[in-house]
């Protein structure tokens, strides 16, 4: 237990390093630029176009379907149960619902919107959209190496004459590699732009209602907070242009538009403050659940 606690502290300290995100981004941009230089302009340009097109298609046509699967079935599909207070959740939707249920059993007066099934479902779906988008970007980044390479070999090399393709134009290739890396970087930032600031508000992670969010989990998510990067002003502009169209939500019969980023932050802050009350009551009886449990 002592060793596990020490390892947890070390990992959390590394993840909380103030320039970790920018260092990671810089290394990613450097590697992508170097690969673009090595492959040259034609391959680099084709992969850049391929990645942009696939991400746009995924954003506008696949994200909702992927989010529904993440929200309702993903955890059960991989046979994972997450402990939420005194209960176990087998979906993202259940994590949100059981957070509210734990609190409602100890407090009769919760904000009315948390007893609105439509609101809770819409909130959990938006959370799942953020998670789904991060997974999509990660998958696209890696499979694009294989698929774009195959398509280039089968199609582009037949269209562009060999003597033209032999002119590598490596500096332009490096620029295309950099451009592709920037697209992927900002796409990742969109996925964490709402979740990271919200989870940062959780107090006493690993205890009470938030048994699913231990110290390392919180540190890892916070390490990916776009606000910790020098690129954050650009990411914020992109977020306003794109993420609100996918993550914000409305309810039938309600003219209000719920801004996902604000709603999620309010959700975690409210239940984090409520969590303190639970821990105070448990400490008076000598019962504090500080475990982190994911059952496979």
């Amino acid at each position: 237990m002592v060793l596990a606690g020490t390892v947890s502290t070390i990992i959390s300290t590394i993840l909380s390093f103030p320039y970790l995100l920018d260092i990671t981004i810089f290394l990613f941009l450097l590697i992508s630029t170097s690969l673009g230089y090595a492959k040259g302009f034609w391959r680099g340009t084709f992969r850049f176009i391929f990645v942009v097109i696939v991400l746009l298609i995924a954003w506008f046509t696949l994200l909702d379907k992927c989010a529904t699967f993440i929200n309702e079935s993903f955890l059960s599909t991989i046979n994972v149960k997450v402990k939420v207070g005194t209960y176990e959740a087998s979906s993202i939707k259940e994590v949100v619902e059981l957070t509210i249920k734990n609190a409602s059993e100890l407090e009769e007066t919760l904000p009315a919107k948390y007893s609105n099934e439509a609101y809770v479902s819409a909130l959990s779906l938006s959370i799942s959209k953020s998670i789904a988008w991060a997974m999509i970007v990660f998958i696209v980044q890696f499979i694009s190496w294989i698929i774009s390479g195959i398509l280039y070999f089968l199609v582009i090399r037949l269209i562009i004459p060999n003597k033209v393709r032999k002119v590598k134009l490596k500096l332009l290739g490096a620029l295309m590699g950099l451009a592709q890396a920037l697209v992927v970087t900002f796409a990742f930032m969109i996925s964490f732009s709402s979740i990271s600031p919200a989870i940062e508000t959780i107090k006493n992670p690993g205890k009470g209602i938030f048994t699913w969010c231990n110290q390392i989990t919180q540190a890892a998510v916070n390490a990916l907070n776009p606000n910790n990067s020098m690129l954050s002003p650009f990411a914020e502009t992109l977020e306003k242009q794109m993420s609100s169209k996918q993550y914000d939500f409305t309810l039938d019969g309600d003219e209000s538009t719920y801004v996902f980023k604000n709603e999620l932050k309010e959700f975690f802050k409210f239940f984090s403050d409520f969590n303190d009350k639970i821990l105070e009551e448990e400490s008076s009886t000598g019962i504090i659940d500080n475990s982190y449990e994911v059952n496979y």
Side-chain angles (χ1 to χ4, degrees):
M1 291 295 292
V2 175
L3 179 60
T6 303
V7 172
S8 174
T9 301
I10 293 173
I11 294 175
S12 298
T13 301
I14 293 173
L15 290 173
S16 64
F17 185 69
Y19 301 106
L20 179 64
L21 182 58
D22 278 329
I23 291 172
T24 303
I25 291 173
F26 174 77
L27 291 175
F28 175 60
L29 297 180
L30 180 63
I31 292 171
S32 186
T33 302
S34 300
L35 291 173
Y37 180 85
K39 290 183 175 295
F41 173 74
W42 300 108
R43 284 199 175 191
T45 300
F46 181 73
R47 182 164 186 255
F48 169 72
I49 295 173
F50 178 84
V51 168
V52 170
I53 290 175
V54 173
L55 287 176
L56 287 174
I57 291 174
W59 179 260
F60 290 108
T61 65
L62 299 178
L63 183 56
D64 287 343
K65 294 179 181 178
C66 292
T68 300
F69 172 72
I70 294 291
N71 190 41
E72 299 176 0
S73 308
F74 178 67
L75 293 181
S76 59
T77 299
I78 61 175
N79 196 29
V80 168
K81 290 186 178 180
V82 180
K83 190 173 182 183
V84 185
T86 56
Y87 298 96
E88 287 186 339
S90 57
S91 68
I92 301 298
K93 184 178 181 180
E94 282 189 353
V95 171
V96 176
E97 292 174 341
L98 292 178
T99 297
I100 297 171
K101 184 175 181 179
N102 272 276
S104 64
E105 290 177 349
L106 298 171
E107 178 66 52
E108 294 182 0
T109 55
L110 296 179
K113 60 185 178 182
Y114 296 140
S115 61
N116 183 336
E117 185 177 345
Y119 173 88
V120 174
S121 296
L123 179 63
S124 67
L125 183 60
S126 289
I127 295 172
S128 298
K129 282 183 179 180
S130 292
I131 297 171
W133 181 241
M135 294 174 68
I136 288 172
V137 175
F138 182 81
I139 291 170
V140 169
Q141 168 62 14
F142 284 95
I143 67 169
S144 63
W145 286 108
I146 301 172
I147 298 178
S148 65
I150 294 174
L151 290 176
Y152 182 86
F153 180 80
L154 295 177
V155 181
I156 302 303
R157 66 188 294 271
L158 300 178
I159 298 174
I160 303 174
N162 185 48
K163 61 181 181 180
V164 176
R165 286 187 286 110
K166 282 186 175 180
V167 182
K168 291 290 189 179
L169 301 173
K170 291 192 172 185
L171 289 178
L172 288 177
L175 288 176
M176 297 311 297
L178 176 62
Q180 184 263 326
L182 284 171
V183 168
V184 172
T185 296
F186 284 119
F188 263 120
M189 284 184 166
I190 288 177
S191 67
F192 290 100
S193 61
S194 299
I195 289 183
S196 297
I199 290 184
E200 200 171 40
T201 64
I202 293 179
K203 293 181 256 182
N204 300 308
K207 299 179 180 179
I209 293 176
F210 297 111
T211 44
W212 58 268
C213 180
N214 67 355
Q215 184 180 3
I216 295 178
T217 302
Q218 187 179 49
V221 175
N222 291 343
L224 296 169
N225 189 339
N227 295 330
N228 296 333
S229 171
M230 291 185 293
L231 297 176
S232 62
F234 305 101
E236 185 176 351
T237 300
L238 186 62
E239 177 199 352
K240 290 178 180 178
Q241 295 296 322
M242 293 191 69
S243 64
S244 62
K245 297 177 183 179
Q246 288 286 19
Y247 298 156
D248 296 351
F249 55 91
T250 57
L251 305 178
D252 291 340
D254 189 343
E255 296 180 356
S256 303
T257 297
Y258 294 91
V259 179
F260 171 59
K261 186 174 185 176
N262 297 337
E263 294 300 316
L264 186 62
K265 193 168 185 177
E266 182 183 342
F267 178 88
F268 279 119
K269 188 177 186 307
F270 175 82
F271 287 103
S272 190
D273 291 339
F274 189 86
N275 205 31
D276 285 345
K277 299 177 182 178
I278 296 175
L279 293 174
E280 287 177 6
E281 293 178 6
E282 289 178 340
S283 62
S284 66
T285 61
I287 303 174
I288 298 181
D289 183 358
N290 61 356
S291 63
Y292 173 70
E293 184 176 327
V294 177
N295 296 325
Y296 293 88

